[in-house]
Amino acid sequence: MTAPSTYGLSTQARNLQWLLTDLVEEVPGVNSVAVVSSDGLLLLSSDPGAGAESPQEARPKGPRGASADLATIVSGLGSLTTGAAALMDGGPVKQTMVAMEHGSVFVMAISDGSLLGVHATPDCDMGVVAYHMALFVGRAGHVLTPEVRSELRQSMEKTP
């Protein structure tokens, strides 16, 4: 994976991108990662071509190569589980996991209302993935200020 350009970003935004890149490169079985704001906008992605229009045949199928797809899935799952928790008086949703025949999707809440989403292989160690996601959330939660979120949104819009 090639990291998206961090030129011109604040130290906090560069650190978040580094944490996200590290999650993908260091955790076995992780295909892609996305951080989505509470209003559903993609803030960070492990896909260096996030936002780029690429030929359909060059793009891998599914969210592995399409950060917008993963962001949509993460946002939708977050909304669905939050609604379900409210109906069941279950309190705030901490994490969601969907196991499929050919992969898994994990969604974890970040303290500011943003969500961390991971698309992983079906044979990943779910405990290891969840542990590293929790580390990311713990490190990112206090850094995702409104200013940094705005900066990250703008940088995603500028990605070629």
Side-chain angles (χ1 to χ4, degrees), residues 4 13-14 47 53-55 58-59 63 67 90 111 119 123 125 133 137 145 150 153:
R14 285 193 313 269
D47 180 3
E53 295 298 322
S54 60
R59 187 176 122 191
S67 59
S111 64
H119 174 235
D123 60 343
D125 184 328
M133 288 178 71
V137 166
T145 63
S150 176
R153 275 189 208 135

Side-chain angles (χ1 to χ4, degrees), residues 45-69:
S45 171
S46 62
D47 180 3
E53 295 298 322
S54 60
Q56 190 68 15
E57 64 275 3
R59 187 176 122 191
K61 293 183 189 227
R64 181 175 181 182
S67 59
D69 291 348

